[in-house]
């Protein structure tokens, strides 16, 4: 099933205000975007922080949370609802030029060029972007300011400021902490490209305050975030400088002028809640064939789990979604499947072998997807890599397609159908 490499940017931009469209696939690290609701997980994490909807293609995007792409290579601010759905900010309007000058004033000595800015009256939210050069190589730097609905929940829902799972995102280091004022801070030293096709580093600091302010700064060791050669070994700002920049008082003033989104509507209650990731993981491990050793495992709060297995010939990443009420995707699954069969009880089994869309050269992904007549769906995918975004560790995954299919059709999942 397809993994959407650039899904995060579009989804995160609308995360706080829109219910996403249905997708039949596992989504980077198992966050399926449901027709009925956005699954919120503690992703370790993305995107990290996950962000409100799905783990995305790179640790940088993962950290980006509600921040999307901006013109000219910069990143957009936290998604801001249309004016008619947001309460006006309490501070005076701040221009895009002031955003740029404020960012420039907080940077160390060097040249800041090719700047772009958006103010607090812009529907996309305030942004400052430019190319910084301290004499050791150019670096794109982008800073966004926004707010979340229901500020009181800001300390309870900390996905955006929680470090990602190493098995699900490519990064070198991550640090998360609670500040003295109750704010949560995460600094993620990741990469722009999850498949490692370039060594572009993306270091991101994300601050979330108790009153709902979101500030994020990202920097790259290249003159733009994508499609530019690496210009220096690492981005110019150290983690300590990133912390100082993202926590600067100047952004609090900007935040006061940003419209406050109305609280999100509660997601509709499903007829059957999803099984816990813990239970799914335990069931998955019990169904693994003899001769493979589990070397890693994890998941999310519900509907998803993963294991890394090794049969002595290299690691294999195996992930699974267990989802009730999925009958509405039957036609799409059948249309997209390479091999489709219908069992005596009406269960549809769809299997496929495809090139991997994550990781490096030679990565393949094998999928066994089952949908029972009542809409209960179990989809298992494996890749010939030890992590979701890692390089190929072997020519083919450790489990045969028949073994993968056997896991997916097992009656062991039925006890989780109404979990």
């Amino acid at each position: 099933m397809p993994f959407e490499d650039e899904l995060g940017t579009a989804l995160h931009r609308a995360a706080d205000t829109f219910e996403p469209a249905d997708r039949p696939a596992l989504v980077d690290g198992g966050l399926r975007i449901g027709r009925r609701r956005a699954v919120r997980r503690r992703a370790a994490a993305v995107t990290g922080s996950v962000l409100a909807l799905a783990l995305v293609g790179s640790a940088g995007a993962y950290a980006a949370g509600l921040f999307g792409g901006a013109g000219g290579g910069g990143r957009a601010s936290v998604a801001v609802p249309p004016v008619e759905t947001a309460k006006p900010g309490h501070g005076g309007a701040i221009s895009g030029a002031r955003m740029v000058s404020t960012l420039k004033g907080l940077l160390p000595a060097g040249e800041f060029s090719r700047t772009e800015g958006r103010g607090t009256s812009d529907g996309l939210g305030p942004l400052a972007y430019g190319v910084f050069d301290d004499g050791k190589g150019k670096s794109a730097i982008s800073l966004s300011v926004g707010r979340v609905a229901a500020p009181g929940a800001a300390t309870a829902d900390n996905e955006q400021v929680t470090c990602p799972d190493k098995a699900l995102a490519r990064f070198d280091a991550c640090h998360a902490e609670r500040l003295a004022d109750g704010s949560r801070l995460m600094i993620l030293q990741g990469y722009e490209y999850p498949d490692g096709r370039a060594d572009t580093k993306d270091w991101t600091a994300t601050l979330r305050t108790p009153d709902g302010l979101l500030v994020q700064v990202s920097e790259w060791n290249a003159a733009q975030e994508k499609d530019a050669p690496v210009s220096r070994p690492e981005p110019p700002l150290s983690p300590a400088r990133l912390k100082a920049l993202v926590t600067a008082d100047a952004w609090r003033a900007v935040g006061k002028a940003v419209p406050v989104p109305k609280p999100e509507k509660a997601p509709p209650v499903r007829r059957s809640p999803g099984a816990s990731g813990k239970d799914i993981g335990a069931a998955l491990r019990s169904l693994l064939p003899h001769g493979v050793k589990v070397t890693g495992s994890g998941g999310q709060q519900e509907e998803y789990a993963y294991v890394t297995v090794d049969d002595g010939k290299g690691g294999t990443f195996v992930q699974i979604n267990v989802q009730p009420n999925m009958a509405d995707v039957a036609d799409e699954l059948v249309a997209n499947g390479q091999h489709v069969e219908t069992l005596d009880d009406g269960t549809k089994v769809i299997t496929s072998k495809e090139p991997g869309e994550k990781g490096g050269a030679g990565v393949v992904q094998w999928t066994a997807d089952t949908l029972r007549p009542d809409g209960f769906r179990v989809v298992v995918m494996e890749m010939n890599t030890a992590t979701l975004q890692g390089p190929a560790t072997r020519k083919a995954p450790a489990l045969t397609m028949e073994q993968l299919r056997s896991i997916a059709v097992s009656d062991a999942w039925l006890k989780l159908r109404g979990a």
Side-chain angles (χ1 to χ4, degrees), residues 338-388:
Q338 292 180 355
H339 180 265
V340 181
E341 60 178 310
T342 302
L343 305 184
D344 292 341
D345 65 356
T347 298
K348 295 187 182 302
V349 182
I350 303 97
T351 57
S352 62
K353 296 181 178 181
E354 301 171 308
E357 295 184 14
K358 298 295 173 190
V363 174
V364 297
Q365 58 191 36
W366 294 3
T367 305
D369 199 342
T370 65
L371 186 64
R372 296 178 184 268
D374 64 355
F376 183 64
R377 183 186 184 198
V378 177
V379 51
V380 190
M381 178 187 289
E382 64 173 338
M383 304 169 69
N384 58 335
T385 172
T387 61
L388 178 66

Side-chain angles (χ1 to χ4, degrees), residues 60-108:
Y62 179 98
L66 303 181
F67 301 79
R75 292 194 174 190
S77 67
V78 173
V80 177
V83 174
E84 65 271 17
T85 67
K87 297 179 180 179
H90 299 296
I94 294 175
S95 68
R98 183 175 169 186
M99 285 290 297
V100 170
S101 64
T102 300
L103 175 57
K104 181 178 180 180
L106 293 169
L107 294 174

Side-chain angles (χ1 to χ4, degrees), residues 125-349:
L127 165 80
Y129 169 83
V131 178
F132 176 70
D133 191 346
D134 59 0
K136 300 177 183 179
K138 294 182 178 181
S139 167
I141 296 180
S142 178
L143 185 142
S144 301
V145 179
R147 285 195 170 275
V148 294
T155 56
D157 181 3
N158 294 309
E159 291 176 341
Q160 293 148 317
V161 283
T162 303
C163 287
D165 188 329
K166 268 281 191 180
L168 302 178
R170 181 183 178 224
F171 62 96
D172 292 328
C174 184
H175 172 73
E177 63 177 302
R178 183 187 295 275
L179 305 183
D181 66 352
S183 298
R184 297 291 296 261
L185 171 71
M186 183 193 69
I187 298 175
L188 181 64
Q189 294 172 262
Y191 292 85
E192 183 64 33
Y193 299 102
D195 59 8
R197 64 182 180 269
D199 291 325
T200 308
K201 295 183 178 181
D202 177 0
W203 290 6
T204 300
T206 305
L207 176 75
R208 182 169 182 168
T209 69
D211 65 352
L213 176 68
L214 278 173
V215 183
Q216 184 179 73
V217 59
S218 292
E219 58 170 344
W220 295 264
N221 60 335
Q224 61 187 44
E225 61 181 288
K226 291 184 182 292
D227 303 322
V230 168
S231 54
R232 51 191 299 146
E234 295 182 340
L237 306 182
S238 67
R241 279 192 174 274
L242 282 174
K243 177 179 178 179
L245 176 56
V246 81
T247 59
D249 289 341
W251 309 124
R252 309 280 178 137
V254 175
K256 291 180 180 178
V258 174
V260 179
K262 288 185 178 181
E264 296 178 356
K265 294 181 180 179
V269 177
R270 298 185 307 177
R271 290 171 294 166
S272 306
S276 72
K278 180 180 179 180
D279 289 343
I280 292 171
L284 175 59
R285 289 191 292 273
S286 73
L287 294 171
L288 292 172
H290 295 294
V292 298
K293 179 181 179 181
V294 175
T295 59
S297 62
Q300 65 186 54
Q301 292 178 345
E302 61 180 85
E303 296 190 352
Y304 171 79
Y306 75 83
V307 295
T308 299
V309 302
D310 196 331
D311 59 358
K313 301 178 182 179
T316 291
F317 186 80
V318 183
Q319 58 182 339
I320 182 169
N321 269 128
V322 177
Q323 306 160 329
N325 308 324
M326 297 297 295
D328 53 341
V329 302
D331 291 343
E332 188 170 358
L333 294 182
V334 171
N336 293 335
Q338 292 180 355
H339 180 265
V340 181
E341 60 178 310
T342 302
L343 305 184
D344 292 341
D345 65 356
T347 298
K348 295 187 182 302
V349 182

